[in-house]
Amino acid sequence: MGTAEISRKRVLVLLIFTLLHAEGETLGLASNALVKYKYVVDLVLETLFSPDTLPTSGFRIEAVTQLNVVWENSSSQHEKLIQLQVEEVKLLNVSEQNENRNSFKDAHSESLLGPTIMAALKKPVIFHWNSGKIEALYGSAEERGLPLNLKRGLVSLFQLQPNSGTITEVDVSGNCRVTYEMANNQVIKIKDLLSCGKTEFGFDASNQVLGVLWQPTCKGLYSVENGVIKAAVIEEGHIFKLNLQTTIGAKISSRQQLHYMTSEIQPKAFYGESLQETLHNLGIFTPLSMTGVLEKIPCKNCTLANDYLKSLNKKNNLQDLSKISAAKVFLAFVQLLREAKKSEILNFLKKAADNEISFLIDSATAAQTESSLSALSEYLDFTKEKQSPQVKTFLYAAAFSSYPSKELLNTLLAKLQSRIASREVEETTVSVIGAVIGKMCLRNLCKLQEVEIAKKVILEGLNTAKEDVKMYLLALKNARLPETIPLLLQYTTGQTNSVTSIAVAALQRFPSAYITQEVKKQMNRIFHQSRNRYGTAVRMAALDVILNNQLSPMELKNIVLSMREMESELSKYTVAKLQNIRHSDHHQASKVIRELLRDRLIYNYYHMSRFGCSSSSSGYLAVTTDAISSYNMDLLFGDTGILQKSLTDFFILNQGNQLHATQVSIEAQGLDSFFKESPAQDEDDDDDEITASMSVILFDVQFPPTVFFQGYSDLMEKLWSVTEEPTSIIKGSTLLIDHLQSVMLQSGLVANAEFQGGLGIDVSGIIELSLWSQNCKTNIRSRGALVINSVIKVDTTFVQAGVKSNSEATAALDFVSSVKFLDSPILICLQLLNGPYQSREKVTIYKSLQEHVVFSKRKKRTRSFQGAELPLHQANSEMCKKMFSEQQ
């Protein structure tokens, strides 16, 4: 016999021929008949990683079952109580194999199942059948677990309607939408498994770029003769795959077969006049849910978290978090902490060494159990200044949580409403609360009481704030609540440039569906300065909103015609932005720009020839069959050649979803005065203090800006104290991918899918400054390691089959800016350097009997990629050539 797929096709072909003789009748088991069926469940798992080169794993359950009517409604023969009893249970290979690959050759089914499960399987159950629908299930009070689920799956096969149409049925899968089709004497039953509703068990990512795609199908074919099911086959398939990398995952195929064996005529043996009397007399009166129950599988043979921590070589494993070894340790420890008690976790935190504490806080936050969050809340004291670094580690980890819970939100709110020693910690706490609100709303949890309270805290804080307005606006930027758009619009007028800039930046993050005409009008007023004057950085952000949200030909025409009256650098930036979008294959405004620029009255030297250093460029970091990683870089200079704002974005796009992986924004104000002959104040600059700051978005979370210097004296102090030692910007481990799902198969077996991705990241900055040669070089170094593990399995006490996938990759990215002040205009060279990296994939398919592996096959693949300097705009390339030629 061939593979499981070939076997499945043969069965379906045979069944189709059988169904040609079907009469399209519903089930109507004779009241005096004892009917026996052969029942078969086939389960097959296969990998998505080179499926043609690896064998499948699985098993078969065979049984004989008998049915007889124990009660019939005297006024309707279509309402009955039917008793079902299982006999002769066997465990077999899913297909015929060579003797040396026969997993069950030397194993007896009774010894594998064990006496308890075998006895439970053979206990009868009774189902209330009414006109083809199963209205209730009854059994003994001891019925539970896997044996009961298997019987639910068997009983569900006898739910059948004779007419075409779509109805709702309750069976082992839940309350599902089912479509019946009658064609050529065939009864086809199609179940929409996505309609069955989600269970409370498990969790998924807020952003589907990092999520898992579940593709289920279920189709059955029946043959009915004289009201008796003669044959039935239910084909069910489940594909679980990671959106980011679809080779990580597996396919589960399950098939139920029911074959009529014999029917023995017996005298009618009813056990009562009413339904309840019959159940009582038979002693099978405990009502049972028809829907299968999903239960968490306890960790088997798990190492204790304390023992695992002791076994680590902490110097090697935790020293460099951007290495694959550190990410592996992080994933393993998070799993163990999810089984740990609060007292254990609290003990780890209290006894941790200085080089361990950040790792433990990251791990405990990622575990996100009630025990871990309670331990962290008790350990972390926001009122103590000396604990600020540890508190910030916790806040960053909380912000990156893929599925934040109400317990996490309550912890953050409680800390915010108590005294906080550090201003920086308070700002970060408010910002993280906004991020948690946003992620919970993406998971349709916006109406939870805890989320409503958190929203109220942020909004009330903003309304009463005097000096803290920017802090609460950043929280709204993270939350992205559509109902706050009118409020954000209020803060785009009559405010300082720094406040207006945050409000406009918050509007930038909303999807196009929420950018109304009112928003567009205000952005146009800001860009064209129709009512007030605004800083160039604010106008730059407003332009981005206009271009990215249903750009109209009239809006574009107004932008082009107004460029002659703009400051030279802003007009140069605007031209560069339009040209960059024009040449894009994916931007929604590219078509509008191409069409309008065909008009020679618009697209000509007079309007489009602008002079300056400002630029806009974009490109691809990586393109795979599953995802696109792209970058955008916008640079806005002042008239003296000093950089006013740089904006570098990295995005990951997948199946219509987008993840804002990183944004680094560096903004400077007031530095032009150092290089002007007459350092007069700009008319549109109401934030006159000399400042420079950097703000970061990481995985869709905006953090409060880091101020490099504020004021002339602070600038001078920083210049003289600068060293060439790297300064850490962000360093830690985060659970980037976290997905747990359990699916009740039609047979009553349970499939579990678990995906976890641990990211270790280390971002640091180096500044090299020479006052003698008047040049400066900065390097923002990003190093990271991503490890993804997945396990898709069907796990019972007697047999386990599964597919394990593993993917590992490292990455390095340097953003280098070199500035030479000696000449006028100032020379600036920007470099985006993508370092060499390697990725490894491994998949293992296995089968175990009573936790002893009897079959395992593995395949792996390694790929290496060369580093490269990513191309920016032409003007930057020319400036770099000039700078480096002068240095030689």
Side-chain angles (χ1 to χ4, degrees):
M1 199 170 179
T3 63
E5 184 66 27
I6 295 173
S7 175
R8 184 183 301 116
K9 289 181 179 178
R10 287 177 179 173
V11 171
L12 287 173
V13 170
L14 290 172
L15 183 62
I16 288 171
F17 280 102
T18 303
L19 291 174
L20 291 175
H21 304 285
E23 299 177 11
E25 298 176 88
T26 189
L27 174 64
L29 194 66
S31 302
N32 59 347
L34 179 67
V35 182
K36 288 192 175 183
Y37 288 95
K38 181 181 179 180
Y39 176 56
V40 180
V41 175
D42 288 337
L43 184 83
V44 176
L45 288 90
E46 57 186 294
T47 175
L48 302 180
F49 177 88
S50 301
D52 297 333
T53 62
L54 283 170
T56 60
S57 178
F59 55 89
R60 169 178 288 182
I61 301 174
E62 282 190 5
V64 173
T65 183
Q66 65 178 25
L67 292 86
N68 63 289
V69 177
V70 295
W71 173 82
E72 183 177 275
N73 190 332
S74 57
S75 59
S76 173
Q77 62 176 352
H78 297 298
E79 183 179 11
K80 302 175 182 181
L81 283 179
I82 300 174
Q83 180 172 272
L84 180 147
Q85 187 160 13
V86 176
E87 302 175 343
E88 303 176 27
V89 182
K90 295 180 182 178
L91 288 175
L92 303 166
N93 279 318
V94 72
S95 61
E96 292 182 1
Q97 297 176 333
N98 296 329
E99 281 297 305
N100 60 350
R101 289 187 58 197
N102 188 345
S103 308
F104 299 93
K105 180 177 63 173
D106 300 319
H108 297 287
S109 297
E110 290 194 11
S111 63
L112 287 174
L113 292 168
T116 303
I117 291 180
M118 184 65 82
L121 284 171
K122 292 184 177 181
K123 284 184 178 180
V125 292
I126 293 175
F127 59 92
H128 181 194
W129 180 88
N130 190 355
S131 300
K133 272 200 170 187
I134 296 174
E135 296 190 345
L137 178 67
Y138 302 92
S140 66
E142 294 79 24
E143 292 279 7
R144 60 177 53 86
L146 177 63
L148 175 56
N149 282 338
L150 289 173
K151 284 185 270 191
R152 286 175 171 133
L154 177 52
V155 169
S156 295
L157 286 177
F158 295 95
Q159 189 156 229
L160 185 67
Q161 294 297 314
N163 303 312
S164 297
T166 300
I167 61 172
T168 300
E169 291 181 352
V170 178
D171 65 5
V172 64
S173 303
N175 192 350
C176 310
R177 187 168 59 249
V178 179
T179 299
Y180 287 95
E181 298 176 2
M182 303 291 296
N184 298 326
N185 295 321
Q186 298 180 25
V187 181
I188 301 173
K189 180 179 180 179
I190 302 172
K191 186 195 299 185
D192 181 4
L193 293 172
L194 292 174
S195 71
C196 299
K198 291 185 177 180
T199 62
E200 294 299 319
F201 183 81
F203 38 79
D204 192 10
S206 301
N207 190 308
Q208 285 308 302
V209 170
L210 304 174
V212 171
L213 181 63
W214 172 45
Q215 296 174 308
T217 58
C218 185
K219 184 176 182 179
L221 294 95
Y222 285 80
S223 171
V224 181
E225 293 182 7
N226 300 321
V228 177
I229 295 176
K230 291 294 185 179
V233 174
I234 307 294
E235 294 279 355
E236 183 180 12
H238 297 267
I239 297 175
F240 302 92
K241 57 185 176 183
L242 187 67
N243 288 329
L244 198 62
Q245 189 175 345
T246 55
T247 55
I248 298 177
K251 178 182 179 181
I252 297 176
S253 300
S254 176
R255 181 172 66 225
Q256 290 174 284
Q257 300 176 62
L258 196 65
H259 298 286
Y260 175 84
M261 294 175 65
T262 63
S263 179
E264 181 181 339
I265 302 301
Q266 295 180 338
K268 289 185 179 181
F270 293 163
Y271 294 86
E273 294 184 2
S274 68
L275 184 149
Q276 292 299 329
E277 182 184 351
T278 302
L279 293 172
H280 183 269
N281 291 337
L282 287 170
I284 306 175
F285 49 78
T286 301
L288 305 169
S289 170
M290 264 301 294
T291 301
V293 177
L294 298 171
E295 297 177 349
K296 182 181 177 182
I297 300 174
C299 188
K300 300 172 183 176
N301 303 319
C302 280
T303 306
L304 294 175
N306 187 44
D307 294 338
Y308 182 79
L309 196 59
K310 288 179 180 178
S311 69
L312 290 178
N313 183 344
K314 296 165 189 174
K315 185 175 181 180
N316 293 331
N317 291 322
L318 304 181
Q319 190 71 22
D320 188 351
L321 297 181
S322 63
K323 287 188 174 180
I324 286 175
S325 58
K328 285 182 174 180
V329 169
F330 172 72
L331 285 179
F333 195 56
V334 168
Q335 289 280 49
L336 298 179
L337 284 181
R338 285 180 169 169
E339 305 293 330
K341 298 178 181 178
K342 174 187 173 181
S343 57
E344 296 176 74
I345 300 171
L346 190 58
N347 190 47
F348 294 152
L349 295 170
K350 289 180 176 179
K351 293 185 177 181
D354 291 342
N355 64 336
E356 298 173 9
I357 188 62
S358 294
F359 172 80
L360 292 176
I361 292 173
D362 283 338
S363 302
T365 310
Q368 205 173 163
T369 61
E370 289 187 23
S371 297
S372 66
L373 291 175
S374 180
L376 285 165
S377 180
E378 184 172 332
Y379 172 74
L380 295 170
D381 191 344
F382 282 50
T383 65
K384 292 182 179 178
E385 183 74 32
K386 67 177 182 179
Q387 267 208 343
S388 291
Q390 297 172 17
V391 168
K392 286 175 64 179
T393 298
F394 162 70
L395 292 172
Y396 284 176
F400 296 141
S401 173
S402 59
Y403 64 99
S405 62
K406 60 183 182 181
E407 289 81 11
L408 175 61
L409 188 55
N410 284 335
T411 300
L412 292 168
L413 288 172
K415 296 297 184 181
L416 179 64
Q417 291 166 356
S418 61
R419 189 176 71 84
I420 297 178
S422 165
R423 168 75 177 181
E424 185 180 1
V425 168
E426 182 183 9
E427 290 178 351
T428 307
T429 303
V430 172
S431 182
V432 171
I433 288 173
V436 170
I437 291 171
K439 290 184 177 184
M440 294 185 75
C441 288
L442 284 175
R443 294 168 50 230
N444 298 318
L445 300 176
C446 227
K447 298 301 180 183
L448 282 180
Q449 182 181 1
E450 291 82 1
V451 178
E452 293 287 353
I453 292 172
K455 289 193 287 186
K456 185 178 179 181
V457 168
I458 299 299
L459 293 174
E460 288 183 351
L462 179 61
N463 289 334
T464 58
K466 294 181 179 179
E467 298 179 357
D468 301 333
V469 171
K470 290 185 281 188
M471 175 173 73
Y472 290 102
L473 285 176
L474 283 175
L476 291 183
K477 182 179 179 181
N478 278 331
R480 286 176 285 183
L481 302 172
E483 62 266 30
T484 63
I485 289 177
L487 180 62
L488 290 170
L489 282 176
Q490 293 178 22
Y491 284 90
T492 62
T493 57
Q495 303 290 332
T496 62
N497 276 321
S498 56
V499 170
T500 303
S501 180
I502 296 174
V504 175
L507 292 169
Q508 278 180 282
R509 302 197 71 195
F510 283 96
S512 294
Y514 298 109
I515 302 300
T516 62
Q517 285 303 311
E518 183 183 359
V519 176
K520 293 287 292 291
K521 286 178 182 178
Q522 178 61 11
M523 295 302 104
N524 277 283
R525 284 193 287 263
I526 291 174
F527 179 72
H528 295 291
Q529 301 190 115
S530 303
R531 297 178 179 175
N532 299 294
R533 298 189 64 82
Y534 296 90
T536 51
V538 178
R539 296 173 70 188
M540 176 182 173
L543 175 65
D544 188 74
V545 177
I546 297 167
L547 296 177
N548 288 326
N549 296 279
Q550 291 92 39
L551 175 68
S552 70
M554 183 55 69
E555 285 176 323
L556 178 58
K557 190 174 183 179
N558 289 336
I559 290 170
V560 175
L561 294 177
S562 66
M563 287 193 295
R564 295 290 300 180
E565 301 175 2
M566 294 181 194
E567 301 89 336
S568 59
E569 286 295 342
L570 182 59
S571 64
K572 174 66 176 177
Y573 168 77
T574 304
V575 170
K577 188 76 173 176
L578 294 177
Q579 294 286 18
N580 188 36
I581 296 174
R582 178 192 177 195
H583 294 103
S584 170
D585 296 326
H586 304 287
H587 200 285
Q588 59 181 348
S590 59
K591 184 178 179 180
V592 176
I593 293 174
R594 289 192 199 110
E595 290 180 354
L596 185 69
L597 294 187
R598 290 174 183 168
D599 185 352
R600 293 302 176 185
L601 295 176
I602 299 295
Y603 188 51
N604 54 44
Y605 184 84
Y606 180 79
H607 290 117
M608 303 298 290
S609 179
R610 305 286 94 197
F611 297 97
C613 300
S614 300
S615 64
S616 176
S617 56
S618 62
Y620 297 116
L621 284 173
V623 178
T624 69
T625 55
D626 302 316
I628 296 173
S629 177
S630 65
Y631 69 91
N632 297 331
M633 182 177 287
D634 293 342
L635 303 172
L636 181 65
F637 289 85
D639 291 336
T640 60
I642 290 292
L643 184 67
Q644 287 191 349
K645 185 169 185 176
S646 74
L647 201 62
T648 307
D649 294 280
F650 297 94
F651 297 95
I652 300 174
L653 298 97
N654 168 272
Q655 298 179 8
N657 300 306
Q658 177 178 287
L659 174 67
H660 200 170
T662 310
Q663 180 189 86
V664 179
S665 174
I666 299 176
E667 192 166 351
Q669 293 178 354
L671 291 179
D672 279 349
S673 60
F674 283 100
F675 301 92
K676 287 182 179 179
E677 293 183 4
S678 178
Q681 173 71 27
D682 290 342
E683 291 181 17
D684 63 342
D685 189 4
D686 52 13
D687 298 329
D688 55 354
E689 192 172 32
I690 296 173
T691 60
S693 62
M694 179 181 71
S695 65
V696 175
I697 292 176
L698 199 56
F699 303 117
D700 270 334
V701 178
Q702 168 79 65
F703 291 101
T706 299
V707 178
F708 295 137
F709 56 83
Q710 190 165 5
Y712 180 81
S713 59
D714 191 27
L715 170 61
M716 291 296 101
E717 182 182 345
K718 297 288 174 62
L719 282 175
W720 289 109
S721 63
V722 68
T723 67
E724 296 184 9
E725 293 297 318
T727 300
S728 180
I729 298 172
I730 185 168
K731 182 178 182 180
S733 301
T734 181
L735 199 57
L736 197 62
I737 298 167
D738 199 11
H739 177 96
L740 177 63
Q741 183 179 2
S742 287
V743 174
M744 181 63 64
L745 302 180
Q746 177 73 24
S747 62
L749 294 169
V750 177
N752 293 289
E754 186 170 7
F755 294 75
Q756 283 194 321
L759 176 68
I761 190 169
D762 186 354
V763 181
S764 59
I766 301 174
I767 300 177
E768 300 174 12
L769 177 65
S770 173
L771 295 177
W772 178 261
S773 56
Q774 295 189 37
N775 61 50
C776 176
K777 183 178 180 180
T778 63
N779 183 3
I780 297 177
R781 305 174 70 248
S782 301
R783 301 290 183 268
L786 177 64
V787 175
I788 302 172
N789 295 328
S790 82
V791 181
I792 290 91
K793 62 184 178 180
V794 175
D795 194 348
T796 70
T797 57
F798 49 86
V799 60
Q800 301 84 36
V803 175
K804 295 180 180 179
S805 302
N806 169 262
S807 177
E808 302 170 356
T810 57
L813 191 69
D814 288 61
F815 178 40
V816 181
S817 60
S818 304
V819 183
K820 192 170 184 180
F821 300 100
L822 188 60
D823 298 326
S824 181
I826 295 169
L827 295 180
I828 298 180
C829 171
L830 303 173
Q831 295 171 282
L832 201 56
L833 307 175
N834 194 7
Y837 65 98
Q838 192 177 70
S839 70
R840 291 187 289 268
E841 292 180 75
K842 181 175 65 178
V843 64
T844 304
I845 190 161
Y846 69 92
K847 179 164 63 178
S848 304
L849 299 182
Q850 294 179 334
E851 300 181 24
H852 299 291
V853 177
V854 294
F855 163 73
S856 179
K857 289 290 181 182
R858 179 179 299 173
K859 190 176 181 66
K860 57 184 177 181
R861 175 173 64 191
T862 301
R863 291 181 290 182
S864 297
F865 302 88
Q866 297 298 319
E869 182 173 349
L870 301 173
L872 301 178
H873 54 93
Q874 184 63 31
N876 180 70
S877 299
E878 293 172 359
M879 198 171 292
C880 290
K881 288 179 183 179
K882 183 178 180 181
M883 179 180 292
F884 294 145
S885 64
E886 291 178 358
Q887 292 177 357
Q888 293 177 351

